[in-house]
Amino acid sequence: GQNIDQPTEMTATEGAIVQINCTYQTSGFNGLFWYQQHAGEAPTFLSYNVLDGLEEKGRFSSFLSRSKGYSYLLLKELQMKDSASYLCAVRPYTGRRALTFGSGTRLQVQP
Amino acid sequence: DSGVTQTPKHLITATGQRVTLRCSPRSGDLSVYWYQQSLDQGLQFLIQYYNGEERAKGNILERFSAQQFPDLHSELNLSSLELGDSALYFCASSALQGTDSPLHFGNGTRLTVT
């Protein structure tokens, strides 16, 4: 089976740093993706991890530990426009390219 | 703009009816994926097509069907609609090569069944 867990909601302050965690248990693993989704809009790709460690992309970084089935998305210098849902998704195994998504974490950035 | 086009943006219909959602993938992408997103729920994978052939199936109901045409656009057909089918339906496409290639999503079709 496949199970991906994320906190449902988080609140943070403009200018601060927030970490959104994701744990997964899947039948096979071939990469973990983070997406951002504003309400009613399309999910947009943020980052990809397949090896253990940290991937940095501007204000956003993503970390993966395959042995622990754990990832996090780190958002720095938060801006009001970062208020959105953040979706963790796993590509379960080679040969299946469809992603399995968690339910998402709704982040509210306050002034 | 992801390059994935979905029409229509909104659809309102009655229970028992049938609708067709349309998707054009990004230029050069051969794979098309359909996802359903109900209120307060995550994205649920429905079905994938690659170059005209069904490649993988997820939680797709028997009342739903899809196809991909030679020009690579895809249609998702939903029949005998129920109130619970009200949701956002997203289409995504991806490049063939590389397991690191992400899915690129269209803006979705919001279906309301009354």
Side-chain angles (χ1 to χ4, degrees), chain A residues 30-31 33 48 50 91 94-95 97 99, chain B residues 96-102:
Chain A
N30 203 32
F33 296 76
Y48 168 78
V50 69
R91 179 162 277 155
T94 304
R97 302 185 61 76
L99 301 181
Chain B
L96 170 63
Q97 301 297 332
T99 56
D100 60 343
S101 58

Side-chain angles (χ1 to χ4, degrees), chain A residues 30-31 33 35 37 40-45 48 50 87 91 94-104 106, chain B residues 33 35 37 40-43 45 48 57 88 90 94-107 110:
Chain A
N30 203 32
F33 296 76
Y35 281 79
Q37 185 181 25
E41 297 184 9
T44 55
F45 169 67
Y48 168 78
V50 69
L87 313 178
R91 179 162 277 155
T94 304
R96 170 161 161 149
R97 302 185 61 76
L99 301 181
T100 299
F101 283 84
S103 296
R106 190 160 42 238
Chain B
Y33 310 76
Y35 282 82
Q37 188 174 42
D40 293 331
Q41 289 202 6
L43 287 159
F45 170 62
Q48 178 203 352
K57 253 184 176 177
L88 260 173
F90 286 104
S94 72
L96 170 63
Q97 301 297 332
T99 56
D100 60 343
S101 58
L103 269 56
H104 299 275
F105 286 83
N107 287 328
R110 182 175 294 282

Side-chain angles (χ1 to χ4, degrees), chain A:
Chain A
Q2 296 167 39
N3 193 39
I4 301 174
D5 287 318
Q6 307 178 233
T8 305
E9 289 187 5
M10 297 183 72
T11 303
T13 305
E14 193 176 13
I17 300 173
V18 70
Q19 178 175 312
I20 301 174
N21 296 325
C22 169
T23 58
Y24 63 90
Q25 293 174 305
T26 57
S27 51
F29 179 84
N30 203 32
L32 188 141
F33 296 76
W34 284 95
Y35 281 79
Q36 180 191 61
Q37 185 181 25
H38 287 96
E41 297 184 9
T44 55
F45 169 67
L46 289 178
S47 68
Y48 168 78
N49 295 72
V50 69
L51 300 176
D52 287 358
L54 189 69
E55 294 284 339
E56 297 188 73
K57 253 188 181 183
R59 293 190 300 116
F60 293 4
S61 303
S62 57
F63 171 84
L64 175 67
S65 168
R66 294 183 61 166
S67 61
K68 295 181 179 176
Y70 168 70
S71 174
Y72 67 73
L73 180 69
L74 195 70
L75 290 74
K76 303 175 189 173
E77 301 169 16
L78 280 172
Q79 301 175 11
M80 298 300 289
K81 68 177 182 179
D82 297 329
S83 293
S85 287
Y86 291 86
L87 313 178
C88 172
V90 173
R91 179 162 277 155
Y93 52 87
T94 304
R96 170 161 161 149
R97 302 185 61 76
L99 301 181
T100 299
F101 283 84
S103 296
T105 298
R106 190 160 42 238
L107 173 67
Q108 182 69 42
V109 180
Q110 297 179 337

